Amino acid sequence: MGEFELIRRFFDRQGPAAPGVATGIGDDCAVLSPTPGSQWLVSTDMLVEGRHFLSTVEPERLGHKALAVNLSDLAACGATPRAFFLALSLPRADARFLEGFARGLFALADAHGIALAGGDTTAGPLNVCITVMGEAPQGQALLRSGARAGDELWVSGTLGDARLALEVFRGTRSLPGDAFAQVRRAMELPQPRVALGQALRGIASSAIDVSDGLMGDLGHVLRASGVGATIDFEALPRSAVLAGQDLALQQECLLAGGDDYELVFTASPQQHQAVRDAAARAGTPVRRVGRIRTEPGLEVLDPHGAPLALRFASFDHFKS
Amino acid sequence: MGEFELIRRFFDRQGPAAPGVATGIGDDCAVLSPTPGSQWLVSTDMLVEGRHFLSTVEPERLGHKALAVNLSDLAACGATPRAFFLALSLPRADARFLEGFARGLFALADAHGIALAGGDTTAGPLNVCITVMGEAPQGQALLRSGARAGDELWVSGTLGDARLALEVFRGTRSLPGDAFAQVRRAMELPQPRVALGQALRGIASSAIDVSDGLMGDLGHVLRASGVGATIDFEALPRSAVLAGQDLALQQECLLAGGDDYELVFTASPQQHQAVRDAAARAGTPVRRVGRIRTEPGLEVLDPHGAPLALRFASFDHFKS
């Protein structure tokens, strides 16, 4: 199977053009038509075998996750997904792998109405690089820099299950089969909070998605906004499986786990009900977990209001 | 050196925002503001060590080439470069490599007024994936599908030197030092024909850049346009170094060499002088090398007008 046949067979779905995509796969560039009055939001993520996914992962789940982590960046900005570009390096043109990968990729793409508009394939060590593009009305993108002292701090979904699954894969923990299947789904099939992000436009003051761990990612928001935060540890949303683990592991998974792809966002207390309504419209659970303050830094409080002593840093690809 | 320091030190050039880039590096997405009435042209290319570049290449030249091959896709569509995104997988955070890579990358970016607006870095086998975005006025992008019977066929610059250099690296040929340095520059420092592509908007009927070899890439244009072509082999522009090689090697390098990043384009004979004027404005030599015909297929004629018998296919990453 050659390069062009590979693209034709697995990735070039001739069909009606998607909104915003005037010319898709098959020219030197894709041609995209912006909605008048909109801005484009663009993000790129590269996934490497053994670092972002295990070599044993089902190809269908890898296809899902490669796009999910990119859609999560659009979600964090409140963007409406439009088009994505896939660059794929593969040791060989393996039909079983490609068929599964494409199935997972396109199932998620279709669920979010985003079109594969171009890409590149080459032989080489397995590497999946996706660039996503979405739109938001001029000036309405959610950024990291908008958090203000007094804002409420919110988290979507639950945190920590992906990290718990990783610990089981690493052999440091064991779980019953059902519980493991559940946390493994969190790791391998994250659901990007695209609908919530869009629903929060004009309501949230800042947002980020949790990819490297809550403390690290929230730290980016605090620095960009020039503020600090306190988090109520007990309020952090967690699954029943994680809630059944010892406290040290819960802390590590909830605060520094990473790979969650939930949204952490801030909003004025006046927007409290608007946040709840937006979450209901998006069908996504949200929970208030803390507050933004003037004083820099990030404090995590125990049920008695005393700061927890924490030792872990967020994930760094060149350190861990 | 951690991931964030690496980005800050080598890639995040705080400065005035580039045209079209409202928010660059440092948020979940870049925010781009389209020029009213424009379309966005987007392309992505992934470069893998040992396949797209030799492991011995100077980092500065690799930085240049990784962006150049992407800018060449914008050139082929007649786009004005706006923003690019860099995803980089590196075995380790090597300051000498990164310093050189960034120098070559930004020198070319600055020459074409394109801003690095975001990206991703990770540890892993060396892989450079760049996504470029440019703009063209609505409906004016040059596509592969516009060639018409009777159009003249043009090529910019010279073809074949990059392939000749590769043969020297492979040890199948040898060249004197000066000649080798010249063809090696063609391979390692290709100059994307961005100014020519823009100058040809409204003049050329179709265009493509030569990345996989003239016959293969022109074949894409012919299929997309539903036409055929004849090429005058003697008219194909070549360097004095390549012209000094035997005919079989000249044929291979000129027709199936690849890695040229010159533009092949078509235009009505009525546009002949307009093409020459556009090339002069862009400061890029162009040469008429053949003609588009109704009958499908691609014929290469010798100086007596007889078809050459040719045996080679274009480059395929999963076959060669």
Side-chain angles (χ1 to χ4, degrees):
Chain A
M1 178 165 44
E3 186 178 356
F4 299 112
E5 190 201 335
L6 185 161
I7 294 167
R8 189 192 54 71
R9 185 163 155 201
F10 297 105
F11 295 113
D12 190 3
R13 304 191 303 171
Q14 303 291 345
V21 181
T23 303
I25 291 173
D27 217 294
D28 292 275
C29 294
V31 186
L32 307 179
S33 299
T35 305
S38 73
Q39 290 180 307
W40 284 90
L41 290 297
V42 187
S43 182
T44 192
D45 267 306
M46 179 176 264
L47 275 69
V48 173
E49 184 170 6
R51 191 153 279 270
H52 301 90
F53 56 91
L54 304 173
S55 55
T56 53
V57 70
E58 271 297 312
E60 184 169 354
R61 291 190 168 196
L62 178 59
H64 172 102
K65 186 165 179 177
L67 182 58
V69 303
N70 279 283
L71 284 172
S72 185
D73 285 314
L74 289 184
C77 290
T80 303
R82 290 293 186 218
F84 72 103
F85 296 80
L86 168 68
L88 191 57
S89 171
L90 291 169
R92 61 189 193 288
D94 171 344
R96 194 194 81 85
F97 173 88
L98 285 163
E99 197 274 326
F101 181 87
R103 187 167 0 101
L105 182 82
F106 284 122
L108 187 66
D110 292 345
H112 291 283
I114 190 168
L116 178 62
D120 192 18
T121 57
T122 182
L126 186 55
N127 184 308
V128 186
C129 184
I130 289 183
T131 304
V132 285
M133 303 182 55
E135 287 187 299
Q138 171 79 34
Q140 288 193 30
L142 303 177
L143 299 178
R144 297 178 178 178
S145 52
R148 296 292 170 261
D151 281 356
E152 294 178 320
L153 180 66
W154 299 80
V155 172
S156 69
T158 61
L159 298 175
D161 278 0
R163 173 60 177 274
L164 179 55
L166 183 62
E167 293 301 326
V168 175
F169 275 115
R170 283 173 170 168
T172 69
R173 301 285 164 152
S174 66
L175 285 176
D178 282 3
F180 177 54
Q182 179 191 315
V183 296
R184 184 179 181 171
R185 278 185 70 85
M187 182 173 111
E188 295 182 343
L189 292 170
Q191 299 301 321
R193 300 303 194 181
V194 174
L196 178 63
Q198 290 176 62
L200 289 172
R201 291 200 301 236
I203 296 170
S205 54
S206 75
I208 194 169
D209 70 318
V210 184
S211 53
D212 294 342
L214 175 62
M215 292 192 70
D217 289 318
L218 179 56
H220 296 311
V221 170
L222 302 182
R223 275 187 297 278
S225 300
V227 294
T230 55
I231 291 178
D232 171 9
F233 181 77
E234 287 300 308
L236 290 175
R238 67 205 82 180
S239 69
V241 174
L242 183 57
Q245 307 302 309
D246 64 70
L247 188 63
L249 182 62
Q250 288 190 47
Q251 285 186 7
E252 182 124 11
C253 292
L254 289 167
L255 296 169
D259 239 8
D260 295 300
Y261 306 105
E262 296 293 349
L263 297 189
V264 179
F265 58 97
T266 59
S268 152
Q270 283 79 47
Q271 299 283 7
H272 187 96
Q273 192 54 45
V275 168
R276 296 218 169 278
D277 294 345
R281 282 200 308 281
T284 308
V286 297
R287 187 137 182 210
R288 194 176 72 77
V289 300
R291 192 173 284 273
I292 300 298
R293 63 183 195 191
T294 306
E295 190 195 349
L298 175 55
E299 212 166 42
V300 184
L301 304 178
D302 73 13
H304 309 291
L308 291 177
L310 300 167
R311 53 178 175 68
F312 30 76
S314 83
F315 186 75
D316 187 307
H317 283 294
F318 289 101
K319 282 182 171 162
S320 41
Chain B
M1 177 166 45
E3 185 177 357
F4 298 113
E5 191 201 337
L6 185 160
I7 294 166
R8 189 193 54 71
R9 185 164 154 200
F10 296 106
F11 296 113
D12 190 4
R13 304 192 303 171
Q14 304 289 345
V21 181
T23 302
I25 292 171
D27 217 294
D28 292 276
C29 294
V31 187
L32 307 180
S33 300
T35 304
S38 73
Q39 291 180 307
W40 284 91
L41 290 298
V42 187
S43 183
T44 191
D45 268 305
M46 178 176 265
L47 275 68
V48 172
E49 184 170 5
R51 190 152 278 270
H52 302 89
F53 57 91
L54 304 174
S55 54
T56 53
V57 69
E58 271 297 310
E60 185 169 354
R61 292 190 167 196
L62 178 59
H64 173 102
K65 185 165 179 177
L67 182 57
V69 305
N70 279 283
L71 285 172
S72 185
D73 286 313
L74 289 183
C77 290
T80 303
R82 291 293 186 218
F84 72 103
F85 296 80
L86 168 68
L88 190 58
S89 171
L90 290 170
R92 62 190 193 288
D94 172 344
R96 194 194 80 88
F97 173 87
L98 285 162
E99 196 274 327
F101 181 86
R103 189 169 355 105
L105 182 82
F106 284 122
L108 187 66
D110 291 346
H112 291 283
I114 191 168
L116 178 62
D120 193 18
T121 58
T122 182
L126 186 55
N127 183 309
V128 186
C129 185
I130 289 183
T131 303
V132 284
M133 304 185 55
E135 288 188 298
Q138 171 78 32
Q140 288 194 30
L142 303 177
L143 300 177
R144 297 178 179 179
S145 52
R148 296 292 170 260
D151 281 357
E152 294 179 320
L153 181 64
W154 299 81
V155 172
S156 68
T158 61
L159 298 175
D161 278 0
R163 173 60 176 273
L164 180 55
L166 184 61
E167 294 302 324
V168 175
F169 275 115
R170 282 172 171 169
T172 69
R173 303 282 164 154
S174 66
L175 284 176
D178 282 4
F180 177 55
Q182 180 191 315
V183 297
R184 183 179 181 171
R185 278 186 70 86
M187 182 173 112
E188 295 182 343
L189 292 170
Q191 299 301 321
R193 299 304 193 180
V194 174
L196 178 64
Q198 290 177 61
L200 289 171
R201 291 200 303 236
I203 295 169
S205 55
S206 75
I208 195 169
D209 70 319
V210 185
S211 53
D212 295 342
L214 175 62
M215 293 192 68
D217 289 319
L218 179 56
H220 296 312
V221 170
L222 301 181
R223 276 188 297 279
S225 300
V227 294
T230 55
I231 290 178
D232 171 9
F233 181 76
E234 288 300 307
L236 289 175
R238 69 206 80 181
S239 69
V241 174
L242 182 57
Q245 307 301 309
D246 64 71
L247 189 62
L249 182 62
Q250 287 190 46
Q251 285 186 7
E252 182 125 10
C253 291
L254 288 167
L255 295 169
D259 238 9
D260 295 299
Y261 306 104
E262 296 294 348
L263 297 189
V264 179
F265 58 96
T266 60
S268 154
Q270 282 79 47
Q271 299 282 6
H272 187 94
Q273 192 54 46
V275 168
R276 296 220 170 275
D277 293 346
R281 281 201 307 281
T284 308
V286 297
R287 187 139 181 208
R288 193 176 73 77
V289 300
R291 193 172 283 274
I292 300 298
R293 65 183 192 190
T294 307
E295 190 193 348
L298 175 54
E299 215 167 40
V300 184
L301 304 179
D302 72 12
H304 310 291
L308 292 176
L310 300 167
R311 50 176 180 70
F312 29 75
S314 83
F315 187 76
D316 187 309
H317 283 295
F318 289 102
K319 283 181 169 162
S320 41

